[in-house]
Structure formats: C-alpha cells, structure tokens
Amino acid sequence: MFPEADAVSPLLHNLNPEQRAAVTLPNEHALILAGAGSGKTRVLTTRIAWLLSTGQVSPGGVLAVTFTNKAAREMMTRLQAMLPLNVRGMWIGTFHGLCNRFLRAHYKLANLPQGFQILDTQDQLSAIKRLMKQFNIDDERFPAKQTQWFIAGCKEDGLRPNMVEVHGEDDRKKVEIYQLYEEQCQREGVVDFGELMLRSYELLQGNDPIRDHYQRRFRHILIDEFQDTNKLQYAWIKMFAQPRDGSPGAQPNSVFAVGDDDQSIYAFRGARVGNMADFVREFQVAHQIKLERNYRSYSNILDSANELISHNRNRLGKNLRTDQGAGEPVRVYEAPTDLAEAQWIVEEIRHLVRGDGPEGGFDRKEIAILYRSNAQSRVIETGLFNAAVPYRVYGGLRFFERAEIKHALAYLRVLENPSDDTSFLRIVNFPPRGIGTRSIEQLQDAARAAGCSLHDAVSATTGKAGANLTAFVAKIDVLRERTIDLTLREIIELVLQESGLVEHYKAEREGADRVENLQELVNAAESFVSQEGFGRDAVALPVDELSPGMLRQSPASQGLDPSQPEINEPAPDYVPPDAETGETLSPLAAFLTHAALESGDNQAEAGQDAIQLMTVHSAKGLEFDCVFISGLEEGLFPHENSLSDPAGLEEERRLMYVAITRARKRLYLSHSQTRLLHGQTRYNVRSRFFDELPEGALKWLTPKHQTFGGSAFGYGAGYPTTRGGSYGGGFQRESIASPPVPAQKAAPSHGLKQGMKVFHTKFGEGTVLSIEGQGDDARAQINFPRHGIKWLALAVAKLTPVP
DNA sequence: TGCAGCAGGCTTTTT
DNA sequence: GCCTGCTGCA
C-alpha cells in the first residue's frame, strides 16, 4: 500500500510479524494488546517513526500520550535514535504535561492566569486543610485526606460540583467543600493535577473551533498503557478523534491504543480497564493485534504467569509464549518468620552474585526484591544491611517533594504569583521570623473580609505582629524587583540566601543534607535551562507551533520529505485566539511548572551496583534477571483489603502477574508463617496464588504442606476459583505434588472462612485472618479494627458471620 | 515560639 | 513498630 515502506524497511527489520503488522496499520483506529515483555514501547515508537518516514504525517500531526515522564522520555529518545528529526513539533508527553502545554497556549480561554501554578498532592492537601479551617468544617467528620480523595475522584470522573450526585447530608457538605475549594484555587491562580485534565477537556468540549483545530492537526493519536486511563482521560482522548461521519472530504484521524488488560493495577486511582472494551465498541476499532511473543523470560516463568492469570475471568484473552527454553524452575521457599525469609533471600542473593550457578554471577542491579507493601521492606533491608550487601530502595520522597525544596519553591512561587496563599503560608514564618499563629489568623480574617490574597491583606494589618508581616512582604517584594534581570540560576541563588533558608539549615544539627539538596536545586534549574527550550512540557507553545503560517502550510512542507504529497486537509483560516500572541512563560514560571509535573528521581544513588527493592507497583515496566517476590501470604498478597470483592482479588492477581513477568531468568517466591506487622505478630497462611501456578514449573525448596486457610477450608470472600467450587481447587492440585493428605475433615462445623467478616459481641466487627486446629480446639485469628488482632477459641467465642 | 511527648494511622502511586 | 502531626507546656 505504501511503496515507501521499502525505503524505510530498516525500521521494520527485527520486528516479528505481529509487531510489523501493528507498526504498519493503515490510518484507522487500532487496539494493540501488548503482553508483558512483548516489545510494546518498540512498537509504539516504531509506529511513529514509520508514519513520519513514509510521509503519512508530519511531526506536528503526532500526539503521543504516556503516563509517566520516564516513558515519554524513553519514547522521545528512541525516536530520535531512529530518525534524524526535530521532535519539538511533536506532542509527546504525559497526559498532564500535554494538558499543561495546552492550557498555557489557551490560558485566556481556559480562564487562567498565564503563569498559573500547579499544586501537587501535598499542596492540594494543605490547601484543603486551610480551607476547612477557614470555614470551620469539622475535620473529624470530614477528614482532609478523605475530602482530597473525594475531590480528586470527582475530577477523575469529569464531575464539577454541580454535577455530583448527592445522597444525604454528608454528600451535600462534601460537594460544598469541593465548590469552595474550586473557588479558592481559581482565586489563587493554581490548578491541581485533576484540574489540568478536566479544564483541558472542558475547553475542548465547549469550544468548537479549538476542538476542530486540534482534530485536524493531530492525524495520529497514540496512547501508551491504555488500560490505566481513567474516565476523564478517555473522554479527553475522544475529543481529539474526529467523528467518522462520512462527511464528504473528511480525512479522519486515528487512535492507536496500546495496552494490556492483564497489567491493569491502578483501579484504586480511577483507572478503568473497561475503557479498552469501550474503545473497541465506540470507535468501531477495525484492527486488534495481540503481541504475545515474549522476549524476556524463560518458559517456566511465563507458564507460571499464564496459568496464574488464567484464573481471572474478565480478560480480553492473551497468552504469552517464548522461544527460549524452560530455564530454571521457579523456586518456592517457606520461612518460619519474616526475619528468616529475609535471611534466606540474602543468602540466595549471595549465591547469585557469586555465580555458583550455570549462568555465572549476576550483577546486583539485575536482582530485584519485590513486595506488596512498603512496610515489608524494613526487615529485608535489615537483612541486607547486616550482610553488607548494597541495596537501593525505590519509593519514598522524591527530590521536589522534600521539605527544604518545597520551601525554596514556595519562595519562588510567591515571587511569581503573590496570590498563591498556600505558598505564602508555607514560608511566612519559615525560617522563623516572629510571625505566630495568631497574627496569621488575623491576617487570614482580614484577607477574607477584603476578598484579597494574604499578601495583599498585609498592608491592612497593624501592631507589632503587623510590623513583622510588613517586613516579610517588603522583603518578598524587594526580592521580586531584584530578580527582574537575573537568570534563573541567579534568582534561585538569591532566594536561597535572602530567604535565610540556607543559613537556617546550616545551623541545624542534621541540616547538612538539606543544604546540599538546596544546592542541588540550583543545579536542577541549571540543567533545566540548558535543555532545549526549558523542557518541552513546561513552556508555552513555541511560537511556530500554532502560528498562522503553520496552519496554512501543508504539513509535508515541515516534514521530512518535501516531495510528499499533501496528506492533511488544508486547515481553515482559523487561529486559536490565545496562540497568536506568541507570549512565552518566564523561565521561573516554567521551572516551577517543571518541578510540579516532574517530581524528580528518588534520591537513592543511581548507577551503583545494588540490589533493587521496590513494591510490585513500582516494578511495572521494569525487568531484571532475578526476581524475588516476598511475603506471598494471604492478607498481604493478596492484600486483605482486596479480598472482599472479586474485582479487588482480580486486581491482586494481575499485580502478581506483573510481578512474575518482571523476571528474565530466575524467579523466587517466598512466604513466611509469621510476620511482624503493625507491631503485632501475625500468623499467615501462604498465598492462594501458589495454588494457581503450574506445579511442573515450581521447585519447592521447603516441604509443601497443607495449609488450613488455603486448601482445606477453601478461600473466603465467596470467590469461586475457575476450577469450580469454592472447596478444593487447591486441594486437587495438592495431590499432584505430594501423596494425598490424610483425609481432611469435611467442612468445619464453625463454618468460618478466611476473609469472612464476623461480629463479636465485645470486639465488634472483624475479619478472619486465619483458622487453626479442628473441632473444639479450633482457633481463629481475627482482626478487629478497634481492638487489634485476636486469637479466639471458636468453641468459646460467640461469633456471628456478617453478610 | 519551640520542643517534647503522645495519639493515631497504616495498600498500592503518577502527575 | 514506626512515622506523622498535633497539643500542651516552658
């Protein structure tokens, strides 16, 4: 179909038939089901490169969306390696980064100040707390965290306060807070992450010329990790897709979505796997391609992953396969305690690093220890530390989230936008300058009465406290004056000195690290400036992007090959109003945006050859030669909070699937009989996931014995296994590995199951964690939220099941 | 204003 | 069990 394909065949080299088919699909909507390790990013980037080099699209006609900055950067880098090309005209970035870019270009239409600043999660929470205090809202009844969660949830669903369905008084109040919060943000000229998305969406939806313009402009819309999109993000994508109404001369654009329903692990933050099915239906997707060939793992690992995930019902259906051999079996270890589990892991790692096995020694950075929740890392860290094995923990505070950095940024933000009250409050008395709670309260009252910002309300204050405030504001205003002709680096250096931050931390006993971080902020700014155009996401559109000229040009004239025929419709003589000004953001505002959108690396020293510790969630998208999945216990993994509903359990299983498929060569699974959690020893049963793995791929390093909560009693939560029946799925499996276990008694008389909710007259409602013993000796371990975890003798305790 | 001591919470996370 | 955040006292 495209003769040029020959000329670009180097691009298509080394692609398997399915990948190649995906890359060269015609200009129609497509869904690519890309399994773990199937070369997803490669297909996505090669697709763009292929479209560009065959002249089907100009760089300006590409819209490619990812979730993380890392993924966006990787795409950009790979693309540049494939084609000699200026990627600046392309819209490649994260959802939020692109929304930011869009809103900067159309800030007037979006009803925002040009230099609007972005609230991160911390900022948002403190803005909500401040608001609730101001309006005397009972924070026992409406905890700020929950309110934040509510607001974010509404925005993820695309709902403004007036659109939220209200059931009862509490709802009404929450919506009222939401409304007040919106007004506060608008007044202060700040937007939160959800707002970036929602406001972009609303502008596209409500403004036909703008929408029309972008629909014509973006010929190809590509989306990574489609299974993680939430309702609003999907609706946002739909805004860019031209309706295929068959109107004469229409040149519809196309959406190319890449995803893997089996790796959808972010439902808790609003992701909707259902978007994949909706997309197929609503867009009448003509092409669905499955990438099932895995280039990462040996087949014992893949078989385990396939078998496990086959226990999920709601799947689009996909099976990974590999040409590599079986490889080592998946090793399973049961430890008596979490400490012993950690020690075993450390011991195995020493063997792996030393290279006792056939593969020779592994690099430490090729070994990962994964766990379900962060709390599990401590005991492993202790083990590694005692054995003097270098390790690196992912997660935790990132650079731009550190307190000293947030303080410095708050000074910068107040310089940029004096009505940013959140930032004002953060620094008004930090470092301490004699402005106490009372004077701040007075100032807040004055600001409220006058309907102005805290900064502007200062001039109305009187007295001694007023003097301190006046001095502070004067200092800020003088600083602002002095920064006018300075470079970004100079501005930051000036602020660090004049704010007293550096001095303050120098005087602190443990402040050396913080001073160092502040210095690092100067470096961060420096490298930000030296990046092309201050970083693509942060700045307003470069003038050329939406210049009237461009709109009239044929796209081919900016593309690679001038001889290309014109592909796009000539754009109408319409220029989106905001874009014609060519205004750009100040470097400071751009840098602040960058800091909010890209929270920076974890501080851990990169580059060092160290064992990698992280949660399964953060491991998504990564791969390692050797992977340990630890703490595979009922209640932990799958997590007890997810046991009560089938959807939750399926997500836990997908999480396990993600964990397994991280491993290239070796996979180790471990669990412990007891574990210290929240200061209490918990007795845990091994995870049901063990019973969902192919026995032939496993090697049990410790005897596999019958567990009570597992096979004998069936699993709780009323979730039938695919082998049918809630009783014995694991049991049948058991008999393959070991001689039949001496007749387990039939269903226990107490009728309790793990995961079940029960009611106790004294302790209230609780969840059954595990059951031990038979008949009169039977005991159950029950977690009562209000009284902690108890062992109760079932013959004595009066427990009633709660439906 | 600043620090010490105590209560409460606690799954996963990117932007 | 440990960290965060708030209250109360000097």
mmCIF file of all heavy atoms in Angstrom, chain C:
data_model
loop_
_atom_site.group_PDB
_atom_site.id
_atom_site.type_symbol
_atom_site.label_atom_id
_atom_site.label_comp_id
_atom_site.label_asym_id
_atom_site.label_seq_id
_atom_site.Cartn_x
_atom_site.Cartn_y
_atom_site.Cartn_z
ATOM 1 P P DG C 1 6.730 -3.632 68.666
ATOM 2 O OP1 DG C 1 8.058 -3.966 69.123
ATOM 3 O OP2 DG C 1 6.057 -2.447 69.158
ATOM 4 O "O5'" DG C 1 6.677 -3.512 67.038
ATOM 5 C "C5'" DG C 1 7.717 -3.842 66.168
ATOM 6 C "C4'" DG C 1 8.054 -2.657 65.298
ATOM 7 O "O4'" DG C 1 6.855 -2.073 64.767
ATOM 8 C "C3'" DG C 1 8.779 -1.520 65.986
ATOM 9 O "O3'" DG C 1 9.681 -0.989 65.034
ATOM 10 C "C2'" DG C 1 7.698 -0.519 66.325
ATOM 11 C "C1'" DG C 1 6.714 -0.734 65.201
ATOM 12 N N9 DG C 1 5.310 -0.568 65.585
ATOM 13 C C8 DG C 1 4.744 -0.853 66.791
ATOM 14 N N7 DG C 1 3.452 -0.637 66.815
ATOM 15 C C5 DG C 1 3.159 -0.173 65.533
ATOM 16 C C6 DG C 1 1.933 0.226 64.966
ATOM 17 O O6 DG C 1 0.824 0.253 65.485
ATOM 18 N N1 DG C 1 2.093 0.630 63.636
ATOM 19 C C2 DG C 1 3.275 0.624 62.966
ATOM 20 N N2 DG C 1 3.233 1.030 61.689
ATOM 21 N N3 DG C 1 4.428 0.243 63.480
ATOM 22 C C4 DG C 1 4.298 -0.131 64.761
ATOM 23 P P DC C 2 10.651 0.149 65.222
ATOM 24 O OP1 DC C 2 11.931 -0.342 64.691
ATOM 25 O OP2 DC C 2 10.557 0.688 66.592
ATOM 26 O "O5'" DC C 2 10.081 1.263 64.246
ATOM 27 C "C5'" DC C 2 9.845 1.025 62.875
ATOM 28 C "C4'" DC C 2 9.111 2.232 62.338
ATOM 29 O "O4'" DC C 2 7.738 2.214 62.787
ATOM 30 C "C3'" DC C 2 9.680 3.562 62.848
ATOM 31 O "O3'" DC C 2 9.610 4.484 61.786
ATOM 32 C "C2'" DC C 2 8.741 3.941 63.962
ATOM 33 C "C1'" DC C 2 7.435 3.481 63.330
ATOM 34 N N1 DC C 2 6.282 3.332 64.247
ATOM 35 C C2 DC C 2 4.996 3.605 63.756
ATOM 36 O O2 DC C 2 4.865 3.947 62.583
ATOM 37 N N3 DC C 2 3.940 3.475 64.582
ATOM 38 C C4 DC C 2 4.121 3.091 65.847
ATOM 39 N N4 DC C 2 3.041 2.973 66.620
ATOM 40 C C5 DC C 2 5.429 2.810 66.365
ATOM 41 C C6 DC C 2 6.468 2.939 65.541
ATOM 42 P P DC C 3 10.711 5.589 61.656
ATOM 43 O OP1 DC C 3 11.846 5.019 60.940
ATOM 44 O OP2 DC C 3 10.904 6.247 62.967
ATOM 45 O "O5'" DC C 3 9.966 6.620 60.714
ATOM 46 C "C5'" DC C 3 9.027 6.180 59.716
ATOM 47 C "C4'" DC C 3 7.779 7.040 59.801
ATOM 48 O "O4'" DC C 3 6.958 6.618 60.907
ATOM 49 C "C3'" DC C 3 8.057 8.541 60.012
ATOM 50 O "O3'" DC C 3 7.518 9.247 58.920
ATOM 51 C "C2'" DC C 3 7.386 8.876 61.327
ATOM 52 C "C1'" DC C 3 6.338 7.769 61.455
ATOM 53 N N1 DC C 3 5.945 7.449 62.854
ATOM 54 C C2 DC C 3 4.592 7.479 63.204
ATOM 55 O O2 DC C 3 3.760 7.788 62.351
ATOM 56 N N3 DC C 3 4.246 7.178 64.474
ATOM 57 C C4 DC C 3 5.179 6.845 65.362
ATOM 58 N N4 DC C 3 4.779 6.547 66.603
ATOM 59 C C5 DC C 3 6.570 6.809 65.033
ATOM 60 C C6 DC C 3 6.907 7.120 63.771
ATOM 61 P P DT C 4 7.792 10.810 58.817
ATOM 62 O OP1 DT C 4 8.142 11.040 57.409
ATOM 63 O OP2 DT C 4 8.698 11.243 59.901
ATOM 64 O "O5'" DT C 4 6.352 11.424 59.103
ATOM 65 C "C5'" DT C 4 5.204 10.863 58.469
ATOM 66 C "C4'" DT C 4 3.954 11.493 59.060
ATOM 67 O "O4'" DT C 4 3.722 10.955 60.386
ATOM 68 C "C3'" DT C 4 4.039 13.018 59.226
ATOM 69 O "O3'" DT C 4 2.858 13.580 58.674
ATOM 70 C "C2'" DT C 4 4.140 13.235 60.729
ATOM 71 C "C1'" DT C 4 3.457 11.992 61.288
ATOM 72 N N1 DT C 4 3.959 11.539 62.610
ATOM 73 C C2 DT C 4 3.048 11.188 63.582
ATOM 74 O O2 DT C 4 1.846 11.254 63.422
ATOM 75 N N3 DT C 4 3.606 10.750 64.759
ATOM 76 C C4 DT C 4 4.953 10.635 65.050
ATOM 77 O O4 DT C 4 5.331 10.235 66.138
ATOM 78 C C5 DT C 4 5.852 11.023 63.987
ATOM 79 C C7 DT C 4 7.337 10.938 64.189
ATOM 80 C C6 DT C 4 5.322 11.448 62.823
ATOM 81 P P DG C 5 2.707 15.159 58.543
ATOM 82 O OP1 DG C 5 2.085 15.372 57.218
ATOM 83 O OP2 DG C 5 3.989 15.814 58.896
ATOM 84 O "O5'" DG C 5 1.653 15.545 59.670
ATOM 85 C "C5'" DG C 5 0.527 14.721 59.947
ATOM 86 C "C4'" DG C 5 -0.034 15.143 61.284
ATOM 87 O "O4'" DG C 5 0.743 14.522 62.344
ATOM 88 C "C3'" DG C 5 0.035 16.655 61.548
ATOM 89 O "O3'" DG C 5 -1.141 17.045 62.230
ATOM 90 C "C2'" DG C 5 1.252 16.791 62.446
ATOM 91 C "C1'" DG C 5 1.114 15.526 63.274
ATOM 92 N N9 DG C 5 2.325 15.104 63.951
ATOM 93 C C8 DG C 5 3.626 15.199 63.489
ATOM 94 N N7 DG C 5 4.499 14.715 64.335
ATOM 95 C C5 DG C 5 3.732 14.275 65.420
ATOM 96 C C6 DG C 5 4.109 13.665 66.627
ATOM 97 O O6 DG C 5 5.242 13.376 67.004
ATOM 98 N N1 DG C 5 3.018 13.383 67.439
ATOM 99 C C2 DG C 5 1.703 13.662 67.116
ATOM 100 N N2 DG C 5 0.794 13.326 68.015
ATOM 101 N N3 DG C 5 1.336 14.229 65.986
ATOM 102 C C4 DG C 5 2.392 14.512 65.188
ATOM 103 P P DC C 6 -1.615 18.549 62.158
ATOM 104 O OP1 DC C 6 -2.604 18.619 61.064
ATOM 105 O OP2 DC C 6 -0.440 19.451 62.144
ATOM 106 O "O5'" DC C 6 -2.358 18.734 63.540
ATOM 107 C "C5'" DC C 6 -3.103 17.646 64.122
ATOM 108 C "C4'" DC C 6 -2.820 17.588 65.607
ATOM 109 O "O4'" DC C 6 -1.462 17.128 65.810
ATOM 110 C "C3'" DC C 6 -2.935 18.947 66.317
ATOM 111 O "O3'" DC C 6 -3.971 18.869 67.278
ATOM 112 C "C2'" DC C 6 -1.561 19.162 66.952
ATOM 113 C "C1'" DC C 6 -0.962 17.761 66.980
ATOM 114 N N1 DC C 6 0.522 17.712 66.907
ATOM 115 C C2 DC C 6 1.243 17.142 67.961
ATOM 116 O O2 DC C 6 0.633 16.688 68.930
ATOM 117 N N3 DC C 6 2.615 17.094 67.876
ATOM 118 C C4 DC C 6 3.228 17.592 66.810
ATOM 119 N N4 DC C 6 4.566 17.516 66.767
ATOM 120 C C5 DC C 6 2.513 18.190 65.723
ATOM 121 C C6 DC C 6 1.173 18.230 65.819
ATOM 122 P P DT C 7 -4.480 20.228 67.951
ATOM 123 O OP1 DT C 7 -5.949 20.165 67.932
ATOM 124 O OP2 DT C 7 -3.765 21.384 67.380
ATOM 125 O "O5'" DT C 7 -3.986 20.030 69.450
ATOM 126 C "C5'" DT C 7 -4.234 18.792 70.135
ATOM 127 C "C4'" DT C 7 -3.399 18.758 71.395
ATOM 128 O "O4'" DT C 7 -1.998 18.622 71.042
ATOM 129 C "C3'" DT C 7 -3.511 20.022 72.261
ATOM 130 O "O3'" DT C 7 -3.632 19.641 73.618
ATOM 131 C "C2'" DT C 7 -2.194 20.743 72.011
ATOM 132 C "C1'" DT C 7 -1.241 19.579 71.764
ATOM 133 N N1 DT C 7 -0.041 19.889 70.947
ATOM 134 C C2 DT C 7 1.192 19.446 71.377
ATOM 135 O O2 DT C 7 1.348 18.821 72.407
ATOM 136 N N3 DT C 7 2.235 19.749 70.545
ATOM 137 C C4 DT C 7 2.177 20.462 69.350
ATOM 138 O O4 DT C 7 3.192 20.675 68.691
ATOM 139 C C5 DT C 7 0.865 20.898 68.957
ATOM 140 C C7 DT C 7 0.684 21.680 67.687
ATOM 141 C C6 DT C 7 -0.182 20.604 69.762
ATOM 142 P P DG C 8 -4.262 20.660 74.677
ATOM 143 O OP1 DG C 8 -5.546 20.086 75.130
ATOM 144 O OP2 DG C 8 -4.221 22.024 74.106
ATOM 145 O "O5'" DG C 8 -3.218 20.594 75.882
ATOM 146 C "C5'" DG C 8 -2.406 19.434 76.082
ATOM 147 C "C4'" DG C 8 -1.064 19.859 76.634
ATOM 148 O "O4'" DG C 8 -0.142 20.136 75.541
ATOM 149 C "C3'" DG C 8 -1.097 21.131 77.481
ATOM 150 O "O3'" DG C 8 -0.222 20.978 78.589
ATOM 151 C "C2'" DG C 8 -0.551 22.195 76.533
ATOM 152 C "C1'" DG C 8 0.487 21.386 75.794
ATOM 153 N N9 DG C 8 0.907 21.942 74.503
ATOM 154 C C8 DG C 8 0.128 22.590 73.566
ATOM 155 N N7 DG C 8 0.797 22.966 72.505
ATOM 156 C C5 DG C 8 2.097 22.548 72.752
ATOM 157 C C6 DG C 8 3.265 22.683 71.961
ATOM 158 O O6 DG C 8 3.382 23.197 70.859
ATOM 159 N N1 DG C 8 4.372 22.112 72.590
ATOM 160 C C2 DG C 8 4.354 21.519 73.821
ATOM 161 N N2 DG C 8 5.512 21.034 74.266
ATOM 162 N N3 DG C 8 3.264 21.378 74.573
ATOM 163 C C4 DG C 8 2.177 21.918 73.980
ATOM 164 P P DC C 9 -0.528 21.758 79.929
ATOM 165 O OP1 DC C 9 -1.194 20.809 80.840
ATOM 166 O OP2 DC C 9 -1.154 23.065 79.634
ATOM 167 O "O5'" DC C 9 0.950 22.023 80.487
ATOM 168 C "C5'" DC C 9 1.952 21.003 80.399
ATOM 169 C "C4'" DC C 9 3.271 21.612 79.960
ATOM 170 O "O4'" DC C 9 3.176 22.063 78.600
ATOM 171 C "C3'" DC C 9 3.709 22.837 80.793
ATOM 172 O "O3'" DC C 9 5.028 22.627 81.254
ATOM 173 C "C2'" DC C 9 3.662 23.993 79.806
ATOM 174 C "C1'" DC C 9 3.916 23.269 78.488
ATOM 175 N N1 DC C 9 3.445 23.999 77.279
ATOM 176 C C2 DC C 9 4.365 24.299 76.254
ATOM 177 O O2 DC C 9 5.547 23.946 76.394
ATOM 178 N N3 DC C 9 3.941 24.960 75.155
ATOM 179 C C4 DC C 9 2.661 25.316 75.041
ATOM 180 N N4 DC C 9 2.282 25.959 73.945
ATOM 181 C C5 DC C 9 1.693 25.031 76.064
ATOM 182 C C6 DC C 9 2.130 24.381 77.157
ATOM 183 P P DA C 10 5.471 23.408 82.559
ATOM 184 O OP1 DA C 10 5.836 22.390 83.561
ATOM 185 O OP2 DA C 10 4.478 24.455 82.856
ATOM 186 O "O5'" DA C 10 6.804 24.122 82.058
ATOM 187 C "C5'" DA C 10 7.888 23.348 81.539
ATOM 188 C "C4'" DA C 10 8.778 24.269 80.726
ATOM 189 O "O4'" DA C 10 8.026 24.736 79.578
ATOM 190 C "C3'" DA C 10 9.245 25.514 81.484
ATOM 191 O "O3'" DA C 10 10.632 25.701 81.242
ATOM 192 C "C2'" DA C 10 8.437 26.644 80.879
ATOM 193 C "C1'" DA C 10 8.198 26.136 79.459
ATOM 194 N N9 DA C 10 6.996 26.680 78.805
ATOM 195 C C8 DA C 10 5.749 26.826 79.333
ATOM 196 N N7 DA C 10 4.859 27.318 78.492
ATOM 197 C C5 DA C 10 5.591 27.522 77.335
ATOM 198 C C6 DA C 10 5.245 28.027 76.068
ATOM 199 N N6 DA C 10 3.998 28.430 75.761
ATOM 200 N N1 DA C 10 6.209 28.087 75.128
ATOM 201 C C2 DA C 10 7.445 27.683 75.448
ATOM 202 N N3 DA C 10 7.896 27.180 76.598
ATOM 203 C C4 DA C 10 6.900 27.124 77.510
#
